[in-house]
Every structure is written in structure tokens, then in C-alpha cells.
Amino acid sequence: KIFETSIENAPIPIMIHAEDGEVLNISRTWTKLTGYNKDDIPTIYDWTEKAYHAKKDDVRNFISKLYTLTEVQYDGIFEVITQDDRKLAWDFHSMHIGDLPDGRAVVMSVATDITERVQIDKQLKESEQRFKILHNASFGGITVHDKGLILDCNQGLSDITGFSIDELIGMDGLLLIAPDYRAFVMDKINSGYEKPYEAYGIRKNKEIYPLHLEARNIPYEGKQVRVVEFRDITDRKKLESDVIKEKESLAFTLKSIGDAVIATDASGIITAINPIACKLTGWSETEAMNKPFNEVFNITFEDKSIPVEDPVQKALTTNSIIELANHTILISKDKTEYFIEDTAAPIKNAQGENIGVVLVFRDVTDKKKAEREIRHISEHDYLTDLHNRRYYFERLDYFHQEEFYPLGLMMLDVNGLKIINDAFGHHQGDQALIMIGSVLNETFEDKDVISRIGGDEFTVILPNTSAKALQSYKEKLISVMKNKRINNVELSLSIGYELIKNKNDDLDEIQKMAENHMYSHKSLFGSSIRSGAINAILLTLTDKYDSEKRHSVEVSQLCRKMGIELKLKQDELKGLEQAGLFHDIGKISIPDSILNKPGKLTDEEFEIIKSHTQIGYQILRAADEYSDLALHALHHHERWDGKGYPSGLKEDSIPLFSRIINIVDAYEAMTADRPYRKKLSKAYAVSEIIRCAGTQFDPKLAKVFVESVLKEKWEII
């Protein structure tokens, strides 16, 4: 009778069936998961008809072979259809446990509900990032293999095998398999086998143990690798052996499984507790024995505002299996909190009377954490930790209903982000985005949904708001951003908004209108903002390097003098003067160690220096006011003979202002102190200008510069 009670109250699905198909007994867990009780499926044929539909004949043929079993058989994973048409994934094992008096063989089929694991496998295939999170949260061992070698593994594999993670990385994965089973496993690998199977593993201490293996080929870090799940099934094998022999007590059977177990009498007094339950509750076996269950098992809901009913008393009162609700937390003796899943089932004597309750529970804290991390990653921007584009569209659709009207939609765009990236690098651009994200979080309310939907684009959804409130937010943001800077560059936002007033308002149209308002704002102020950013960049460069400040001003003044001698028009003269002032703005991106290097530059360092022409071009062309100067910043190191950079232009194909700056820049560089040398004499600099005329410099312009600007004689030595 105890065995029958054990079967009925087992926390896993179990069916006992005879050779002619008669179902002798099923566990309550089987009924709970599928919706079918013993009356619904009096024979195995009724079960296959209901649970397998089109595959019923194949399953019946498979079952017919079970009655000749001589040892435990791994049946495989089957898709089971429940009474309410849900699909479950069950991992079956079957064993011959005896014969009836009429000679019919009796088989026990034991299933493990792995529906959740199959769903997790699907998630693993869809996302490498999700794989890494679940990989580290897995209860079993996980390895990532490439050509047989272990690229990565989790702590679970280390716990199972006894090897440290450092020892496992780079190891041939076959070394974790017992020698007698390596050829068998290698055949599975070579065939690309992706179904679960069993073998034997070997631990670091040479212990051989039974192993459940399952492999998948997935994308990982840009290539296809093989992910293998290791599960130590020693406990399961032991349980199977115990059930077959029917020699061990129910208490021993419960203690041999991998979950925490507490048993009580009919008064709720603890009569048995296994080591895992001791670990999770914080009570030793000696302390817990004969204590009231609710004194040891202290549970609450996640928000701790709703009391949780005692599962033992409820199981005794209702005479049924009880499961805790999601988000239940067990508070241990030392106040450590664990998310748990559990089942409480009544224990009956031969007369059918309740004589106690057995509670089986497990720690699912890591799983909850992994689920939260996956959810957070899928809904948030990695850089600012604001919500992402996908979440924005989901919430916009959700809020588009009567209870949230008027619904505000604000579109924001960062002005001049490309200039910051070009001048200071993407790290500083990222810092600007993080700073803006922080401002948005501080400005809006918790009920509002703030998202980053593109590189420099943000949105805010504001339920139950008004046009006045939206305008107030806009003005506040503009004011606050005036005090936010990155390397002297003032950060700013272009902002537009619209109100959604009823269900008939088209979301796409409202978004376009808000964007149009934003672009209108940008067109009014964007150009001046970008111009201000460029001036701030030049200020940063010249404040940081006094020599660059003197160089830029001197080149600008000499360019003006050169323009006067060439009789340029007033607007051209102004443009040449500005081109001289801004020609080296691209040096803002050059590392200090190179700009200030006292010795000769290496080839690699010189290539970095040369990049300042192109960076200066990118910075200046971003603002309409300076776009004409960009070309001269780009080409002021071109040579008359075509051997300059970056484009190798020659002679008159080089813009006039660039040819002028080339001469003036070289002269000023020679006659000023540099980190790598003292300044050279004016006479020497003049001789170099004359010597390089016709090769480096435009010969006509060089002659004008020497004779008319510097007032020196043109003497070729």
C-alpha cells in the first residue's frame, strides 16, 4: 500500500500499465499536468489516442515492446498533448517491475517534464547573449565545443567533474567521458546527433558516474559551435534502482532525489527533512525534527504584502496536491531569501486516511535571476540602460487606449553627436549619450517610458498628460542641457511632441508629426549649435596646447597678409583668415603622447598625425557656417608635386587656400618651438621655402610670401 501511495503522490509523472494495455495506476502529478485521470484513460490505447493524436500508432508500436524489458530503458523525449491542448515535452524511462497473477507483464513508465528546458533550449538558439546568461545559471554542466576543444563552460560543469573552470577551458571534451564510452560518444558527435542520450563520465578523482548528454549546434561569437549539456544522473539512476527493488522506504526514496524534501505528520509536525531542505531553510536536521512546519518553513510573496497560506495545512484540509504560486520566497533561518517552487501532497495510510504531508521544493533563484536578466536585456539599451526601440513600440501600442488619454509622445534628437564622435572619439560620444539618458531619467516621472530608439534618437511616452505639461518638459530640458558639456562642447536636444487624444488617432501619423516638430526645432537651432560645438572644439585644442593656439593664430594672421598681397575680395580674405585659424582642428583627436612627443615619430605615429586632415574635414563640414573651410583643412598638406596627403593632389588641382596654408603652416612650424626641437631662424625658414618651391610649395605663391609678406629677398642658393 505504501508503494501505491508513493506512486500516487510522487512529484513526477508515473504510469503503471499491464501487457494488454490496462492502466493500473497513475500518479496525481500525471493527472495534474495532463488533465487526464485514470478513468479518462483506462487503457494505454486511450492514453495514446488522447495524448499523441496522429502519432498514436507509432507510440503504440513502441509501447508494445516495453513488456519484454529486462532492464531500465531510456524511451526518449515525447511530445504529449494535454486535455486542454497544451503541448508538453516529457522525458520517459520505462522498467519491467513484475508480472500479474495472470502472467501479464507490468511496466512502470516514469516521465520528467522537461517542457521548460525545451523552451530554454529554443531561447538559447535564438540569442548568444541569452545563452551566456542561462549558461551561467544552469543547474547542470554546460560546455561550448569547437573542434572537440572546450571554449567555455559554466560552474555547474566544474561542480560535476571536479576540474576547475581554468582546467576545463582548452581541454579535449572526450576526456570528461569514461574511456569505455569515448568511441560511443565520438560516433554521436561525428553524426551531429542532437537528441538526449546517456553515457558514463569520469571525474577528476577518476570516479565513474552515469551521465545524461544533450548537444546542440548554435551560433556563438560569430561561428557555429557545439553546446553540450552534462547532467549527473547518479541520483536518478539510484532512484530507479530503488523503485525496481522495492526494498527501500518512501523516506529513503524521497531523500535520494535532488530536490529538498520535508515530511510532516497529520498535525503539521516535521518527521523528516533531507539535507537540501536543511541547507535552504537554514535548520539542521536535529533542530528541525519535531518542530511545527510553519516555524521552519517561513515563506512570503515577492512583494511581501500578501500572506501565503501554509501548504501543509492546505494539503491536509483539501486532501489534494498543492503547489505554491509563482514569486514565492523562502526566508531561511539566517534571513537569506530564495525563490522556490514546491508541491505538497498528502500521505495516506491503508485505510485512505491522511497521516501527513510530504513537501518537495527546489531553489529557483538562479532561474528567476536569469529570466529577469534576459527580460532586462531584451527591453533595455545596453549603453544608457533606458528602454530600447522594441520596448518603446510595445508600450506605445499598449498605452494607446482610453484610460491613458491624453497620451503624450515626445521625440528627441541629440544635436552635434557626430561632431563629438569625430573630434573626441566614440567613447566621449557614448559619455554624452549616457549623460543625456541621466538627464531624461531625472526630468520625467516613473510612469513615463523613456527609450533610446536609435544612435542619437530618444523618445518619451507620457500617459495622462497635457500639451502644457509637454511644453514645460521641453523648456526644462533645453534649460538643463545648457549646463551639460563634453570637453567644452555644450550638449543640446532638438525636441518635438504631439498628443494622442483618442483611439482614432493613427500612431504612425502622430509619430511623424512629432518628428516633424523635432526636425523643425533642429532646423532653427541646429546649425548654430553645431557652429558653437566647432568653436568649443577649437577652444579645447588651443586651451590644452598653448603652442597650438599660437600656431593657429599666427597662421591665420599670415594667411590674411598673404590674401591682401593677392588682392583677394573682402569675403575671400575673411574666409582665408578663418581657414588658417581652423586648419589644424582635427588634431583634437590625436593622442597627447604623439602631439607632445619630444623625439622622432615612428611610421605608425606619423600615420596617426596625418589623419588630422580628414578628421578636421569631418568636423568642419558638419556646420553650414564652416563647411567651406572643411576642404582647406583636408588639403592643406597636399604638395605641389603630388606627393602630399591625404589625396595626392598636385599643382592647381589643390585649392588655392590650401596651397597658401601649406606655405604659411610650414613657415610658422619652422620658426616656433616644438616639443622635438627649438625654433629655427627666420633666414633658415625662408631658405627652406625657396628650396622647396616647385616641389612642396606653389612656386608663385611661395615667391609672393617671401618677398611681399616676409619682405625677404628671393635668393636661390
Side-chain angles (χ1 to χ4, degrees), residues 540-558:
T540 299
L541 176 65
T542 55
D543 282 352
K544 190 174 183 181
Y545 304 108
D546 191 55
S547 62
E548 290 296 335
K549 181 176 184 178
R550 291 194 303 271
H551 176 72
S552 296
V553 171
E554 183 68 20
V555 169
S556 178
Q557 291 174 351
L558 288 172

Side-chain angles (χ1 to χ4, degrees), residues 120-132 135 142-145 194 215-228:
I120 289 176
D121 285 344
K122 182 179 179 182
Q123 291 177 337
L124 287 173
K125 290 182 178 179
E126 293 175 347
S127 169
E128 291 180 28
Q129 182 64 37
R130 294 181 181 182
F131 163 73
K132 290 179 180 177
H135 157 85
I142 299 289
T143 64
V144 181
H145 291 264
E194 292 195 351
R216 293 287 188 276
N217 292 321
I218 69 164
Y220 178 76
E221 296 185 353
K223 57 185 176 182
Q224 287 288 325
V225 296
R226 192 166 179 84
V227 176
V228 182

Side-chain angles (χ1 to χ4, degrees), residues 190-209:
N190 291 337
S191 65
Y193 194 78
E194 292 195 351
K195 295 181 179 180
Y197 62 97
E198 293 179 5
Y200 279 83
I202 182 168
R203 306 188 206 274
K204 185 176 181 179
N205 64 5
K206 306 304 181 184
E207 177 187 358
I208 305 296
Y209 65 99

Side-chain angles (χ1 to χ4, degrees), residues 19-275:
E19 190 169 356
D20 63 347
E22 180 184 359
V23 174
L24 303 176
N25 201 356
I26 59 173
S27 66
R28 289 192 178 95
T29 302
W30 187 299
T31 298
K32 178 181 176 300
L33 293 177
T34 66
Y36 297 117
N37 58 37
K38 187 173 177 299
D39 293 337
D40 297 323
I41 47 173
T43 72
I44 201 74
Y45 307 109
D46 296 300
W47 163 247
T48 55
E49 178 76 31
K50 295 174 183 292
Y52 298 107
H53 293 191
K55 297 181 179 179
K56 62 185 179 182
D57 292 336
D58 293 338
V59 177
R60 288 176 183 175
N61 291 334
F62 180 83
I63 292 173
S64 67
K65 300 174 184 178
L66 297 179
Y67 302 107
T68 60
L69 290 175
T70 58
E71 58 184 21
V72 177
Q73 172 172 304
Y74 171 64
D75 301 349
I77 297 173
F78 290 80
E79 184 181 85
V80 173
I81 301 171
T82 67
Q83 191 176 46
D84 58 359
D85 287 329
R86 290 178 296 107
K87 293 181 180 179
L88 305 177
W90 279 11
D91 190 357
F92 278 94
H93 283 72
S94 296
M95 59 205 79
H96 178 207
I97 59 173
D99 297 324
L100 294 174
D102 59 9
R104 288 180 294 161
V106 177
V107 168
M108 178 170 67
S109 294
V110 179
T112 301
D113 185 358
I114 61 169
T115 305
E116 182 178 355
R117 196 192 79 204
V118 169
Q119 292 170 345
I120 289 176
D121 285 344
K122 182 179 179 182
Q123 291 177 337
L124 287 173
K125 290 182 178 179
E126 293 175 347
S127 169
E128 291 180 28
Q129 182 64 37
R130 294 181 181 182
F131 163 73
K132 290 179 180 177
I133 295 169
L134 294 175
H135 157 85
N136 290 323
S138 174
F139 290 109
I142 299 289
T143 64
V144 181
H145 291 264
D146 184 23
K147 299 178 181 178
L149 298 181
I150 298 175
L151 295 180
D152 196 5
C153 65
N154 67 348
Q155 185 60 43
L157 185 68
S158 176
D159 295 340
I160 291 172
T161 64
F163 289 96
S164 70
I165 291 179
D166 286 342
E167 290 172 319
L168 289 164
I169 301 299
M171 179 186 291
D172 185 341
L174 281 178
L175 296 179
L176 301 179
I177 307 300
D180 291 345
Y181 283 80
R182 287 174 186 168
F184 168 73
V185 172
M186 180 56 76
D187 287 341
K188 299 289 187 185
I189 294 172
N190 291 337
S191 65
Y193 194 78
E194 292 195 351
K195 295 181 179 180
Y197 62 97
E198 293 179 5
Y200 279 83
I202 182 168
R203 306 188 206 274
K204 185 176 181 179
N205 64 5
K206 306 304 181 184
E207 177 187 358
I208 305 296
Y209 65 99
L211 188 63
H212 173 102
L213 295 169
E214 187 167 358
R216 293 287 188 276
N217 292 321
I218 69 164
Y220 178 76
E221 296 185 353
K223 57 185 176 182
Q224 287 288 325
V225 296
R226 192 166 179 84
V227 176
V228 182
E229 178 186 9
F230 289 69
R231 277 195 288 150
D232 181 349
I233 55 174
T234 304
D235 289 343
R236 193 183 78 193
K237 289 294 185 183
K238 187 174 185 301
L239 177 60
E240 291 172 353
S241 175
D242 291 341
V243 172
I244 292 172
K245 295 176 183 177
E246 297 183 18
K247 293 179 180 179
E248 301 295 336
S249 67
L250 174 61
F252 181 83
T253 302
L254 293 176
K255 284 186 177 182
S256 70
I257 66 175
D259 293 329
V261 179
I262 298 177
T264 74
D265 62 18
S267 300
I269 302 300
I270 293 176
T271 58
I273 182 169
N274 75 347

Side-chain angles (χ1 to χ4, degrees), residues 399 403-408 447-449 460-466:
F399 280 122
E403 62 184 291
F404 299 114
Y405 301 137
L407 178 64
K447 68 180 179 65
D448 303 326
V449 179
V460 186
I461 303 171
L462 302 94
N464 306 120
T465 190
S466 66

Side-chain angles (χ1 to χ4, degrees), residues 632-694:
H632 309 309
L634 178 66
H635 293 304
H636 75 275
H637 279 293
E638 304 287 359
R639 289 169 53 106
W640 185 255
D641 59 9
K643 296 180 180 179
Y645 63 86
S647 304
L649 302 180
K650 64 186 298 186
E651 299 182 0
D652 291 337
S653 62
I654 305 170
L656 173 62
F657 287 5
S658 299
R659 283 179 274 150
I660 294 172
I661 295 172
N662 186 17
I663 298 169
V664 174
D665 181 55
Y667 173 77
E668 200 287 327
M670 287 187 282
T671 56
D673 288 332
R674 292 292 172 180
Y676 51 86
R677 61 152 173 80
K678 291 293 185 181
K679 64 181 180 179
L680 304 172
S681 68
K682 179 180 180 181
Y684 177 82
V686 168
S687 69
E688 281 296 293
I689 297 293
I690 294 172
R691 185 179 68 85
C692 296

